[in-house]
Structure formats: structure tokens, C-alpha cells
Amino acid sequence: LFCVMEGIQKALDRGVTEWRFPSISFAAMKDNKLYTATSGYQDLEKEEVPIVEKHRYCVGSITKTFTAVLVMQLAQEGKLNLNQTVWHYLKDHKHKKLVADTANTDVATLLQVLNHQSGIPSWEFQKDAIRVMRGDQMDTKRIWKKTDTLHYSTKDVLEAICKPGEEYSYSNTNYTLLGLVIETVTQNKVANEIRKRILEPLGMNNTYLEHHEACPEEGHTKKYHWATPPFLKDAGMHPEYKEVPGHPYLIDVSVGNISIEYMAGGLVTCATDLVKFADALGKPGRLLEPEFYKQMFNFHEPQNAKSAVRKYMQGVIVDEHYGKSLYHHWGSTLGYLGFMGFFDLPDGPVSFCFLVNAGIMHAFPNDVGLEDPRSYLPVISAEVLKFFGEELV
């Protein structure tokens, strides 16, 4: 069932006018019924092609939830032990030196890697990496190999954040390493494992691990990013990035690619596909048996509880919205922003997602008086709950 919902449509239109999203694609599911809506254009300069449900966006770190499901499935099958270290599984990898040279890989367990309590530093925040991967020093023609980013997280450039288990510290390196672990254990490309274990069973036919498998060229939105002073300072303006007339601070970064992201953030999909994953994630037994489903959604408090600025479980975050538990993950990368989650309700999950073709990585739009994109979530989530007849608390 396809339906345009008035309250949700108004919220999407507000996203375009008030938050200045170039486009936003939305989907929701409850009781296996699909609801979709869109607003905006995939190309701001032409404004001839409105967004449709099948347009693809990169989901950024929402990819981490897919990675976590694969790891939990392999643990369920007895192929992985979550209490073993990263090094245990990668000690014979052809790039084992890069792994060994990354802090804490010999002591952090897979569980601690999944919930970002490994203390392993993140390659994306190394000062040189920001410019090379997303900014003025990017080689737009380079397709990064899956281990290339680890050169920016080795001990000679980044020290361990802390000892494993001491603190929560978000790190893309964690999920790059998990991708390598999955491939080592299965002896298969991780893109094939995602397709076999998640995409095909859920009927997600418009989802790809870009640059790590064949992906249709047509169907992607254009990519925009907020070139705020923090972005220009840390990343810099690439000569091939273009300012967008009539849209202050917004630049066209479509020449860039996301090959750096891999299993930390490299999936591209459409809203109608992504919501199927969110819906399955909210149903024990659909992707994981109850025991391992419970393990995935178990919060392990770090020793320094104050460091847990969010309740990050194994590839999933939980917080409260309008008196209801919302299990979710955000994603942001060069040119894209996305959200996926489900409300855990007594009569079953209400799942929803929205995808935007404007990135905020390293940008902080609120620093220049723009609406913080993350402040959009309460607006759209309220309309989702109201549409499904839930009371706002």
C-alpha cells in the first residue's frame, strides 16, 4: 500500500524549506504495510527531476547496523566468538601488519568493537585523512581498497583512545575491521554476505555496497555538503566542488566518491528498501534468533559511564522520543545524511527512515545559523507516531 500522509508530507516539506535539505525521501512500515513520501529535487540547479521513492542515497553509518547483524549471525552460527580479539581473526590476514599496527586490536574483543568501547581510534578524524578522504586533497578518481583507510589509524599517527571497556568512543576503524573479520571467517566478499543474508531475504533489490560491488550508475541523487567554516578549515574546498547558486554554504560534491567507507558507511539504497531492514530489525527471529537478538540489543555500560553520551549497543542506539523507545542509527558521509529506526510498541514495531542528499560530516551547520539537521528527528518522528495513532507523551 502506497499512501501520501498529510502530516508527514508537511514535515518533509519543512525539511526542504526550514532545514534546507535539497531532497528528502521517507518510508515507514507497520504490519507489513509500506508508506512513502518525498520532497525536493535530486538536482538543485535543474529542479526538473523531483525525488521519487527509488532514488538511491548513501546511508553512511547506518551501514554499521548491517555489519553488526552479520557479525551476530556468524556468532549465532558458532563461526565467531564475540569475546575473542580482532587480532585473533586477522592474524593471518594479508594486511595483518596494518591490523597489528592499529592500537588495541590485540586486546579489544569483537563485542567491544561492535559497541565502540574498543579504544581503537577512528581513521576519519585523523587530520590528514579528513583532507585526503573528503576535502581539498581528495583524488576524485581513486577507488580506495578496503584496508587503505587503516593507514590513517596506525599507532604512528593515532594513539589508543583508552583501554578496551573504559570508555565509549565512536570509531569508523572498528567497523572497517569487522568487515575484514567477516570476510576472513566466511572466505567470501562481505558484499556477497550482505546480499545473501540480508538483502535477498528481505527483498531489498535496490541496495549496494558501492565501489565494492557492481552498482548501477543511474538512480543516485546528486551529492551536496555543507561547506561551513569548520568544514573549510578541517577539510578544505576541493577545486572540483562547486558552489550552488541561491543556496549559501551548500556545495555540490558529486565528483567525490565514498569508497573509503566500506562496512563503516558504504551502503547505498533507497528509502523503500531501507525501511524493510528497519522493520525486520524490530522483529525478534527475523534476522537473528531470540538469544542473539537480545545480545545485539543489550547495552554494556563502559567503566567511565559519563563517556556514554548515547546508549550505543551493538550497532544500534536507543533513546526516548515522546515516551517511547526508539532504536535507531544515523548516517552521514560526504554528500549524504540518513536516519533509520523503529519504535518498539506493544502491538509491534513502527519503522521509518528518511534520506537526505546533503552531508554534515565535519560541517556543523548550526554554527552558521542553519538548523541542525539532527533537530529534524523530533519533527518527523512525532508525525510518524500520530499517523499510526500513537499518543505523544
Side-chain angles (χ1 to χ4, degrees):
L1 171 64
F2 289 84
C3 178
V4 176
M5 305 76 76
E6 184 179 3
I8 288 174
Q9 186 63 55
K10 287 181 179 178
L12 299 182
D13 294 341
R14 283 185 64 192
V16 172
T17 57
E18 296 178 32
W19 278 265
R20 295 179 50 198
F21 298 151
S23 73
I24 182 168
S25 186
F26 169 90
M29 282 190 82
K30 181 172 172 56
D31 299 330
N32 299 318
K33 292 180 180 178
L34 174 67
Y35 307 85
T36 67
T38 63
S39 188
Y41 297 90
Q42 73 94 15
D43 186 333
L44 285 175
E45 294 185 76
K46 293 181 179 178
E47 291 196 351
E48 296 171 351
V49 183
I51 285 295
V52 296
E53 291 84 355
K54 292 299 181 182
H55 269 121
R56 286 188 298 274
Y57 300 69
C58 177
V59 302
S61 288
I62 296 171
T63 305
K64 291 180 173 68
T65 312
F66 288 77
T67 307
V69 168
L70 292 183
V71 170
M72 298 305 294
Q73 287 180 343
L74 292 169
Q76 179 177 279
E77 295 163 12
K79 297 175 182 176
L80 284 178
N81 181 342
L82 299 180
N83 295 315
Q84 277 287 7
T85 65
V86 173
W87 179 247
H88 175 82
Y89 291 103
L90 297 180
K91 61 181 181 291
D92 295 320
H93 194 277
K94 65 179 179 179
H95 294 291
K96 61 185 179 182
K97 187 177 188 306
L98 272 176
V99 177
D101 287 347
T102 299
N104 286 5
T105 52
D106 60 333
V107 288
T109 66
L110 296 186
L111 183 65
Q112 291 166 331
V113 172
L114 281 165
N115 58 37
H116 295 298
Q117 294 180 32
S118 67
I120 295 172
S122 184
W123 48 255
E124 72 172 330
F125 295 123
Q126 199 276 337
K127 60 183 180 64
D128 297 324
I130 294 172
R131 293 186 176 274
V132 171
M133 295 177 184
R134 297 179 176 131
D136 56 8
Q137 296 176 26
M138 175 191 283
D139 178 352
T140 59
K141 302 293 190 292
R142 177 182 178 181
I143 303 302
W144 289 58
K145 296 177 182 177
K146 60 193 73 171
T147 56
D148 285 354
T149 55
L150 296 181
H151 289 282
Y152 294 89
S153 61
T154 51
K155 297 170 191 173
D156 58 326
V157 293
L158 288 177
E159 297 178 352
I161 303 298
C162 60
K163 293 180 180 179
E166 280 189 347
E167 296 181 6
Y168 165 83
S169 182
Y170 192 89
S171 173
N172 270 4
T173 310
N174 285 329
Y175 278 73
T176 299
L177 292 167
L178 288 174
L180 300 180
V181 169
I182 292 166
E183 293 196 336
T184 299
V185 169
T186 62
Q187 291 295 291
N188 194 11
K189 291 181 178 180
V190 72
N192 295 340
E193 290 296 317
I194 296 174
R195 195 156 298 284
K196 178 179 71 174
R197 293 170 174 272
I198 299 175
L199 305 185
E200 289 179 353
L202 298 183
M204 298 173 63
N205 301 317
N206 198 19
T207 302
Y208 304 88
L209 185 60
E210 193 165 39
H211 303 297
H212 296 280
E213 66 174 335
C215 178
E217 293 184 10
E218 294 186 357
H220 281 33
T221 65
K222 291 201 80 169
K223 296 186 286 191
Y224 299 96
H225 208 87
W226 294 109
T228 58
F231 180 84
L232 295 176
K233 177 186 175 184
D234 294 337
M237 182 73 170
H238 192 281
E240 294 180 62
Y241 292 167
K242 298 186 299 181
E243 294 182 356
V244 183
H247 297 271
Y249 296 109
L250 204 62
I251 56 173
D252 184 338
V253 296
S254 298
V255 295
N257 71 67
I258 58 167
S259 57
I260 60 168
E261 301 292 348
Y262 185 46
M263 294 306 289
L267 281 175
V268 296
T269 189
C270 60
T272 52
D273 261 20
L274 185 58
V275 78
K276 294 176 184 176
F277 178 67
D279 184 65
L281 202 63
K283 297 175 178 176
R286 188 71 177 89
L287 291 169
L288 292 166
E289 294 173 3
E291 177 190 347
F292 284 86
Y293 183 88
K294 184 177 179 181
Q295 286 189 41
M296 181 169 174
F297 286 83
N298 184 28
F299 175 61
H300 299 268
E301 187 171 82
Q303 294 168 28
N304 176 7
K306 291 182 179 179
S307 71
V309 293
R310 58 181 63 90
K311 277 194 171 182
Y312 199 103
M313 298 169 290
Q314 286 55 251
V316 182
I317 303 163
V318 64
D319 51 33
E320 295 294 312
H321 282 257
Y322 304 106
K324 297 167 179 62
S325 295
L326 177 60
Y327 294 85
H328 66 277
H329 211 295
W330 284 90
S332 180
T333 187
L334 185 68
Y336 294 106
L337 173 72
F339 175 89
M340 170 209 72
F342 67 89
F343 282 107
D344 186 23
L345 302 177
D347 60 344
V350 164
S351 308
F352 69 103
C353 67
F354 60 85
L355 301 172
V356 174
N357 59 333
I360 62 170
M361 185 63 65
H362 316 301
F364 310 106
N366 50 309
D367 283 3
V368 291
L370 300 169
E371 292 283 357
D372 184 338
R374 288 160 295 194
S375 69
Y376 181 70
L377 178 58
V379 174
I380 189 65
S381 62
E383 294 302 331
V384 169
L385 288 170
K386 286 191 286 185
F387 177 76
F388 288 107
E390 294 294 328
E391 190 174 320
L392 303 185
V393 178

